[in-house]
Amino acid sequence: MDTASNTKLGNVNDLPVGDMHAVKMGDREILLIRLDTGIYAMDNFCTHGACTLANGKLEGGTLRCLCHGSEFNVKTGEVVNGPATTPQPTFAVVLKNGEISLAP
Ligand code: FES
């Protein structure tokens, strides 16, 4: 059985800088986001109202949920602008031979 640490979530070559996509991991959905500084991972469902952040708008290091406009720092999950008040859960990404997984 896969664990968070060895579940491969994709290849870095399939995620260009400025792009993002959601992957299923168990009963969660993880949103992988590639910035020019690296690859970041956060829960795909907005803490405000559970909208899918994969449908959001990436603006530099900020991701805006299109449902009500909450903005989150991609690296830290911090709320940059409400109405959300709860940060997005984020996960440390491990890159090994180009394969993306989450740190244990
Ligand atoms: S569900 Fe994302 S801002 Fe409301």
Side-chain angles (χ1 to χ4, degrees), residues 46-51 53 65-70 72 83-84:
C46 181
T47 57
H48 177 246
C51 279
L53 289 175
C65 178
L66 294 187
C67 284
H68 312 102
S70 293
F72 301 95

Side-chain angles (χ1 to χ4, degrees), residues 36-60:
D36 55 6
T37 51
I39 295 176
Y40 303 92
M42 66 169 51
D43 197 284
N44 191 31
F45 299 111
C46 181
T47 57
H48 177 246
C51 279
T52 303
L53 289 175
N55 296 331
K57 182 136 176 55
L58 192 58
E59 295 167 326

Side-chain angles (χ1 to χ4, degrees), residues 4-5 7 10 39 91-104:
S5 59
T7 301
I39 295 176
F91 309 92
V93 169
V94 174
L95 269 183
K96 190 173 176 188
N97 298 325
E99 295 293 335
I100 303 166
S101 59
L102 300 187

